[in-house]
Amino acid sequence: MEQHTVTPPRSLATEAVHAGREDLAGLGVHAVPLDLSTTYPSYDSRGEAARLDVFAATGARLEGPPVYGRLDNPTVSRFETALARLEGTDDAVAFASGMAALTACLLARGSLGLRHVVAVRPLYGCSDHLLTGGLLGTEVTWVDPAGIADAIRPDTGLVLVETPANPTLAELDLRAIAHSCGTVPLLADNTFATPVLQRPAELGASIVLHSATKYLGGHGDVLGGVVACDEEFARLLRKVRFATGGVLHPLAGYLLLRGLSTLPVRMRAASQSAEVLAGRLAADPRVAAVHYPRIGGAMVAFEVHGDPHEVIAAVRLITPAVSLGSVDTLIQHPASISHRVVDERDRRAAGVSDRLLRMSVGLEDVEDLWRDLDGALRAAALAESVSSGS
Ligand SMILES: *Cc1c(COP(=O)(O)O)cnc(C)c1O
């Protein structure tokens, strides 16, 4: 008798460790196989021709064995499957970096003649730069969320937002924004929130982008990017990826899939510490303003009364470095590093003040982190009082 089993939806924590790995027991292995092949032998070139024709026509994931590493890779596919499951989308397509992923989205829409983008500042500095610089023939209209609907034109290919935004942690109402986009796809960069805190596809975004370099990898040792979206856009992205070559390395795919396993636990633990630190900073007279998102997360942005460069110079446990989302805590000065490529006036208008510091809280003990931060703030205040002669 035929059996109909309805599998209930599994929780995010369960998907994080099982999605993309369901076939492993059947294969007789426990760890994910890492396939480093660039090419694959086939004695049937007629069959390969037919499969390549299908890919060229549709961009669908290749059926059967892989052909060439730029077309697809089994280890990377597992990561894509898992990430799509976590974001609640049909599919996902992985790239060499977050910027390669964004580039592919712009090229994919541009290939349909839709090169105009409506975007809300702030965005990650290089994303802003890619849109503004015109390298890909993109024309951008910067707007406040309320201005999105009016800025949309017949050739608008994307509406692009980040929430919480890099580096100010400003939050947007994705549901309201998705509504004002009408039929234009809304691309939400979900790097800061991760699917643990926010699933933009459920709120109406049709394209969800990650710099996988950050929380998905989680250990500061992998560069990667990924786009979670519907099947139609994923097919277009696969064609762009094949043509332009911004592929994710299989070892990076392996490490990202491994990173996903602990993503919910890491996000929860780091967010707890971040909330504590945000609270202490907010109560500290040396700190002028603290930005911590309503939805939580492991990022804290704050403005100091003293010289922010002195804070960077004085941390000892915390690493003064760009990037974020690692197991250890990082701090950086956006105006000098992550958002240096953005024009000074645009940067300031977007709320990225010269006194702003951005901290990515890791998994260290929160009291050790506070001691280090407190010491760095003291050193900065001291330097300020020496230089002002007070
Ligand atoms: C880092 C980052 C990117 C770019 O990702 P890379 O992996 O460095 O190319 C894009 N968006 C956000 C929000 C980021 O923080």
Side-chain angles (χ1 to χ4, degrees):
M1 208 179 81
E2 201 182 332
Q3 287 207 346
H4 294 278
T5 48
V6 179
T7 352
R10 297 189 296 189
S11 82
L12 187 102
T14 305
E15 293 288 13
V17 290
H18 286 288
R21 295 89 142 178
E22 284 92 348
D23 60 331
L24 294 187
L27 292 173
V29 296
H30 185 233
V32 171
L34 169 55
D35 183 344
L36 292 169
S37 299
T38 54
T39 190
Y40 297 83
S42 168
Y43 292 97
D44 176 17
S45 40
R46 285 186 203 89
E48 296 303 280
R51 292 204 305 146
L52 288 177
D53 286 350
V54 170
F55 179 81
T58 66
R61 277 199 202 201
L62 223 54
E63 298 284 342
V67 175
Y68 184 60
R70 182 156 37 74
L71 201 52
D72 72 339
N73 171 274
T75 309
V76 171
S77 286
R78 289 178 184 280
F79 165 63
E80 293 171 332
T81 301
L83 195 271
R85 202 82 62 74
L86 295 184
E87 285 290 4
T89 57
D90 293 346
D91 207 348
V93 185
F95 294 90
S97 67
M99 291 317 299
L102 179 57
T103 297
C105 291
L106 294 169
L107 289 174
R109 295 298 288 168
S111 73
L112 307 172
L114 305 170
R115 285 192 185 77
H116 177 244
V117 170
V118 175
V120 177
R121 277 189 168 121
L123 296 176
Y124 167 61
C126 283
S127 303
D128 189 311
H129 180 60
L130 183 63
L131 295 176
T132 311
L135 197 62
L136 301 173
T138 307
E139 188 193 335
V140 60
T141 304
W142 297 104
V143 292
D144 287 332
I148 289 174
D150 287 343
I152 288 173
R153 317 190 309 212
D155 64 340
T156 304
L158 285 174
V159 174
L160 208 161
V161 301
E162 267 177 33
T163 178
N166 188 350
T168 60
L169 308 181
E171 286 177 281
L172 299 170
D173 180 347
L174 280 179
R175 208 184 287 277
I177 288 178
H179 188 256
S180 37
C181 291
T183 57
V184 177
L186 170 61
L187 186 160
D189 186 326
N190 203 31
T191 300
F192 275 34
T194 82
V196 176
L197 298 178
Q198 167 178 276
R199 308 214 308 167
E202 287 172 357
L203 304 172
S206 39
I207 304 169
V208 182
L209 185 137
H210 282 272
S211 167
T213 312
K214 314 294 169 53
Y215 289 102
L216 305 188
H219 295 72
D221 55 5
V222 199
L223 270 179
V226 65
V227 182
C229 55
D230 65 14
E231 182 56 31
E232 190 187 348
F233 194 60
R235 289 178 173 211
L236 192 52
L237 286 177
R238 267 192 225 100
K239 289 204 240 182
V240 170
R241 184 176 63 181
F242 178 55
T244 58
V247 293
L248 185 71
H249 189 273
L251 178 57
Y254 176 91
L255 289 170
L256 290 177
L257 186 58
R258 180 173 159 138
L260 288 187
S261 312
T262 54
L263 178 66
V265 178
R266 284 186 284 111
M267 278 308 283
R268 259 196 309 278
S271 298
Q272 266 177 18
S273 299
E275 201 182 334
V276 170
L277 295 176
R280 290 194 192 167
L281 288 169
D284 196 299
R286 297 164 295 186
V287 175
V290 177
H291 310 277
Y292 186 69
R294 281 190 310 270
I295 65 163
M299 300 298 298
V300 181
F302 59 101
E303 287 158 58
V304 288
H305 287 301
D307 183 346
H309 299 287
E310 296 295 337
V311 178
I312 296 288
V315 288
R316 290 296 172 264
L317 175 66
I318 299 169
T319 304
V322 73
S323 198
L324 56 119
S326 187
V327 286
D328 58 320
T329 300
L330 308 178
I331 194 166
Q332 64 110 16
H333 181 236
S336 297
I337 307 186
S338 66
H339 290 68
R340 191 70 190 170
V341 289
V342 180
D343 177 83
E344 195 174 316
R345 265 168 317 170
D346 295 337
R347 196 166 67 215
R348 289 194 182 134
V352 187
S353 97
D354 290 352
R355 302 222 160 205
L356 186 77
L357 290 163
R358 191 196 72 189
M359 181 166 64
S360 164
V361 178
L363 301 178
E364 300 93 336
D365 182 89
V366 69
E367 297 306 331
D368 288 336
L369 288 175
W370 176 249
R371 232 182 334 268
D372 195 35
L373 209 49
D374 180 50
L377 287 168
R378 197 177 319 124
L382 205 64
E384 184 91 338
S385 67
V386 168
S387 74
S388 67
S390 61

